[in-house]
Amino acid sequence: AVILDEGANLRSNKDMFWVHYEEGGILAWEFCSHNPRGCLAEGGCGKGSTGVHCNACVPGYARSPFLDGESSCFECPPLWLNITMTFLAALLTTTVAVIIARSAVIAARRQQDIQVLLWKLLILYCYSSEVLFSVLGSVILERREVITEPAVRVMIYVCEMFTLLPGSVVSETSFWSLHCLFQDLFKQTDSAVVADKLNMLVHSEWFSDENYPTREALRELMHRSELGVITFWSLWPLVLLCF
């Protein structure tokens, strides 16, 4: 870190580092542990990403938990595609729920039928794997400085494969994203303006007072979309019970 004279402007940084001002005019550099290649030189972030360590996404983009390229964000699919994929996913989960329910009715008449038990074990295994490998993936990203980069990539791919089992990460892809869906439903008229301002920001300007309204607009949009996703996954089991 270095101390700058008043009015000085120094934002130069190498790739994989995020630069910001601390109290007293101190300019500090931090390693971008979650997605090093997303933090670019000269205070830039990868396409569609912004914020601390370039870990947030501008409006029109969504974050993938294990995306490990020049950006941790991908461009949102069209609204019509999102709605179509959500309908197909709802249809698929409803079909599976009906099959399990029918199996339970049949098993009640056959004391030695273990189909329902196997279904329950499979579902439990899928969700347990998602939690375990999601945590493991986060730990790997946090500790990637002490792990060789090829090993990090292999381990991240393994973690991503296991978190795909219950389907929650599948909902955050370039062809179906619930965060993008609720972004479109809750977006405000100035979302495009906010996106343009965020794309022009460099690292050292993120915490400046003049950019406070832009940060708050992004925070509000992220909060609404996250609340929508949580509500969707919380209410969907209740909807299935109606069948």
Side-chain angles (χ1 to χ4, degrees), residues 101-113:
R102 288 176 60 87
S103 298
V105 172
I106 296 174
R109 302 170 184 169
R110 302 176 185 173
Q111 296 298 323
Q112 296 182 342
D113 198 322

Side-chain angles (χ1 to χ4, degrees), residues 8 32 41 46 51 82 96 105 122 140 169 175 180 185 197 242:
C32 298
N82 249 338
V96 172
V105 172
L122 177 60
I140 292 171
V169 179
F175 58 87
C180 288
L185 296 178
K197 289 182 178 179
C242 298

Side-chain angles (χ1 to χ4, degrees), residues 34-35 38 46-50 53-57 62-65 67-74:
H34 278 80
N35 188 27
K47 183 179 180 181
S49 58
T50 186
H53 290 195
C54 301
N55 256 345
C57 301
R63 188 174 184 275
S64 175
L67 199 61
D68 194 36
E70 291 186 357
S71 174
S72 57
C73 307
F74 59 87

Side-chain angles (χ1 to χ4, degrees), residues 5-24:
D5 295 330
E6 185 177 356
N9 183 16
L10 177 63
R11 70 185 187 205
S12 179
N13 65 290
K14 293 182 179 180
D15 289 336
M16 302 191 299
F17 285 85
W18 192 77
V19 59
H20 68 102
Y21 288 100
E22 295 181 344
E23 293 184 7

